[in-house]
Amino acid sequence: NQRRNEAGHVIPAPALEEFTKSLPFSLTGAQTRAIREAIADMASGHAMNRLVQGDVGSGKTMVAAACIWAVCRAGFQAAFMAPTELLADQHFRTFSQLLEPMGIRVVQLKSSMSAKQKREAVERLALGEADLAVGTHALLSEGVEYPRLALAVTDEQHRFGVGQRSALAAKTSSPHVLVMSATPIPRTLALILYGDLDVSVIDELPPGRQKVETYAVEESMRPRIQRFIARLVDEGRQVYVVCPMIEEDEDGSLDLRSASEVYEQLRTEVFPQYRLGLLHGKMKTAEKESVMEKFVSGEVQILVSTTVVEVGVDVPNAALMVVEN
């Protein structure tokens, strides 16, 4: 409870209609409830420490955007930290499109930027010429200063230790903290794991989102699945194929189909007519991002990947994920 009693920057609760009237869509009841809970926390005089939990596609980013908007319009700064550069890029685009028309100045900070780009972003933050910094753990680098930081948002809690959360918090005196997670955890367990967090659950999907259907099938179904993949790709959709191991182990005792092997087989024998991509943890960051960008842009139709495939990467055109073993 120590966190709950820490004094926090008082962010006057704004009229939410001001935020929603400029959105191209309307918020769900669950999103509005989560935003109101967070805004009440930030207006209370105590440091907010809230976990927003909801399925992929339930609209957690909009909750973060509303909190960032409330903080920046009160004259403070916010930081949004994503676990990978790819997700940081995606959030940077989303927040720029959404918040810049509302007068919020957004900068990006990530390790792959040139020294000059980093220096410019850091200067704008230090001078208060930028309101929101979006990035990876580069946001925590030495020399990055936030003179008016009042809100830290982190994406996918399990990829960010408590250490990184406090490192961001150390950049200012008790900022409000919002943590977003798509990992479904029962409320009772959430209280044990994140005892210091209040929990908001987004339990409804925006209109038009279909429920995800999951099926377990046997090897005998493979020809049918391959026909199903071909049908989807021919319709212009995209497909993920996820494999648990990167390469065959030495003695072959672990008969898990490795990603590189599955990729070669699909590329040469099964789907030679389609464009395939391969993604695994041993690739360099730049290679991974290039493959993922090709999948996002539609250039790669079937992505064969190990479990490093990004949580939360937005590829609305991907209609199927096949998980091997």
Side-chain angles (χ1 to χ4, degrees):
N1 269 339
Q2 174 198 344
R3 266 296 273 153
R4 292 221 171 92
N5 303 326
E6 272 180 35
H9 303 274
V10 178
I11 307 296
L16 205 50
E17 298 68 40
E18 264 185 71
F19 176 71
T20 52
K21 69 173 187 228
S22 49
L23 297 179
F25 45 79
S26 49
L27 297 175
T28 63
Q31 282 175 312
T32 307
R33 190 179 64 234
I35 292 169
R36 290 193 191 286
E37 288 170 349
I39 282 178
D41 284 353
M42 296 193 294
S44 70
H46 292 295
M48 164 172 80
N49 223 16
R50 186 166 287 278
L51 171 70
V52 175
Q53 202 181 12
D55 270 347
V56 172
S58 62
K60 297 181 292 291
T61 309
M62 289 311 303
V63 176
C67 293
I68 291 167
W69 165 79
V71 161
C72 295
R73 73 188 280 291
F76 291 98
Q77 289 171 311
F80 183 103
M81 188 157 69
T84 64
E85 296 218 342
L86 200 74
L87 284 169
D89 287 342
Q90 183 176 296
H91 286 301
F92 175 66
R93 282 194 298 274
T94 304
F95 289 134
S96 301
Q97 285 162 2
L98 207 64
L99 300 172
E100 294 207 316
M102 301 181 193
I104 292 169
R105 299 158 302 178
V106 187
V107 292
Q108 189 173 26
L109 256 184
K110 50 180 192 169
S111 351
S112 67
M113 284 163 58
S114 72
K116 181 172 181 281
Q117 289 171 317
K118 280 187 204 157
R119 197 169 56 246
E120 281 170 11
V122 168
E123 260 169 35
R124 289 186 62 197
L125 281 169
L127 295 169
E129 288 169 10
D131 307 300
L132 167 65
V134 179
T136 54
H137 49 265
L139 294 175
L140 305 176
S141 321
E142 267 182 65
V144 184
E145 283 168 30
Y146 307 88
R148 301 193 314 280
L149 184 66
L151 170 68
V153 185
T154 61
D155 187 10
E156 284 302 332
Q157 172 66 9
H158 59 276
R159 308 277 282 281
F160 273 129
V162 176
Q164 279 164 310
R165 223 167 75 202
S166 21
L168 191 53
K171 296 262 177 199
T172 182
S173 58
S174 4
H176 298 293
V177 174
L178 188 71
V179 175
M180 306 198 311
S181 179
T183 313
I185 306 167
R187 202 180 180 92
T188 44
L189 184 57
L191 290 172
I192 297 166
L193 287 177
Y194 309 126
D196 60 333
L197 298 182
D198 298 304
V199 182
S200 293
V201 179
I202 304 185
D203 50 10
E204 65 184 292
L205 289 176
R209 292 289 163 105
Q210 292 174 330
K211 198 168 171 353
V212 175
E213 301 281 358
T214 306
Y215 303 96
V217 296
E218 293 175 7
E219 188 59 38
S220 60
M221 289 279 283
R222 190 169 293 278
R224 273 184 65 184
I225 291 170
Q226 288 170 348
R227 287 197 296 275
F228 183 43
I229 292 176
R231 197 182 85 209
L232 287 171
V233 177
D234 288 339
E235 283 171 10
R237 304 304 294 265
Q238 288 161 281
V239 176
Y240 289 93
V241 177
V242 180
C243 310
M245 303 270 297
I246 297 176
E247 286 145 4
E248 283 291 283
D249 56 310
E250 295 305 304
D251 60 356
S253 60
L254 281 172
D255 187 26
L256 294 181
R257 308 192 45 174
S258 74
S260 10
E261 183 197 339
V262 170
Y263 169 73
E264 281 309 323
Q265 187 196 2
L266 293 182
R267 192 176 63 88
T268 54
E269 298 165 33
V270 189
F271 299 124
Q273 71 276 39
Y274 301 136
R275 299 183 302 274
L276 275 73
L278 172 64
L279 189 71
H280 58 70
K282 289 188 183 169
M283 289 162 72
K284 292 193 170 69
T285 305
E287 287 177 295
K288 276 194 251 187
E289 298 201 342
S290 145
V291 172
M292 209 56 219
E293 273 157 24
K294 284 179 181 159
F295 191 58
V296 172
S297 73
E299 190 185 324
V300 164
Q301 296 167 304
I302 300 173
L303 179 66
V304 181
S305 170
T306 57
T307 50
V308 304
V309 73
E310 290 307 340
V311 180
V313 165
D314 196 7
V315 187
N317 189 45
L320 172 69
M321 181 178 276
V322 178
V323 182
E324 291 283 350
N325 298 290

